[in-house]
Amino acid sequence: GHNIGGGLKRRLFAPMVKTQEMLDVLMEPPEFILAESYAAVLKTIALAILYGPVLPISYGIALLGLTSTYWSDKFMALRRCQKPIRTRNKATTSVVNTINVLTIVQLFVSFFVFFNAEMPGYFIGSLIMWLSYNFFPVKRLLGIKRDEALED
């Protein structure tokens, strides 16, 4: 979230502070909580996946929401907040795994709800794409590696 009251609090209370330590605490920028940002993004994606088969515009709405979240979080993280705590990719891996599970669940739900016996290719093609994305070593073939030196 955005810390709207932080600037107001600093302006009001800074003249009344008695010690340097209290002033340092007051002037310290708010924390950027990466887990909250990931939770909001995951919620947006999950809702788009949930409502996508019956309301296709939800994908576009989710894209707009994710774009605005990206730019506002980027501004807050780079300009207004403290440096996020290093998580060693634990949270990112959890989000990616959850999205993978959500996509296969959506595929099976849409198969059972909207199955058309004349067109089984949609389900089979989607299942092949999901399996190849999750089990085919695309990153290794393209030479994509994590560079831990760039993470800090």
Side-chain angles (χ1 to χ4, degrees), residues 29-34 76-86 149-152:
E31 237 182 276
F32 185 80
I33 303 172
L34 199 55
M76 291 300 290
L78 295 176
R79 306 273 183 206
R80 299 277 184 230
C81 296
Q82 295 176 13
K83 184 177 177 182
I85 299 169
R86 187 172 179 163
L150 296 176
E151 291 181 8
D152 279 335

Side-chain angles (χ1 to χ4, degrees), residues 8 18 25-26 35 37 58-59 73 79 84-85 87 89-90 97 100 103 105-106 119 122 126 128 136:
L8 183 64
K18 304 270 189 232
V25 169
L26 187 63
S37 181
S58 67
Y59 297 122
D73 281 353
R79 306 273 183 206
I85 299 169
T87 59
N89 264 357
K90 291 177 191 170
N97 290 339
N100 279 336
T103 54
V105 166
Q106 184 216 16
M119 295 178 53
Y122 167 77
S126 300
I128 289 170
F136 193 66

Side-chain angles (χ1 to χ4, degrees), residues 25-99:
V25 169
L26 187 63
M27 295 306 224
E28 190 172 90
E31 237 182 276
F32 185 80
I33 303 172
L34 199 55
E36 286 182 6
S37 181
Y38 278 148
V41 166
L42 188 59
K43 175 197 59 158
T44 302
I45 292 171
L47 287 172
I49 287 174
L50 176 70
Y51 291 112
V54 292
L55 187 66
I57 192 73
S58 67
Y59 297 122
I61 294 169
L63 180 64
L64 289 174
L66 291 171
T67 302
S68 66
T69 299
Y70 169 77
W71 286 107
S72 64
D73 281 353
K74 182 177 180 177
F75 176 79
M76 291 300 290
L78 295 176
R79 306 273 183 206
R80 299 277 184 230
C81 296
Q82 295 176 13
K83 184 177 177 182
I85 299 169
R86 187 172 179 163
T87 59
R88 287 264 181 203
N89 264 357
K90 291 177 191 170
T92 308
T93 304
S94 299
V95 170
V96 169
N97 290 339
T98 303
I99 292 172

Side-chain angles (χ1 to χ4, degrees), residues 3-23:
N3 185 15
I4 295 171
L8 183 64
K9 184 172 68 172
R10 283 191 285 273
R11 288 186 195 270
L12 287 176
F13 295 125
M16 295 181 247
V17 170
K18 304 270 189 232
T19 65
Q20 182 64 43
E21 291 81 21
M22 290 172 67
L23 186 61

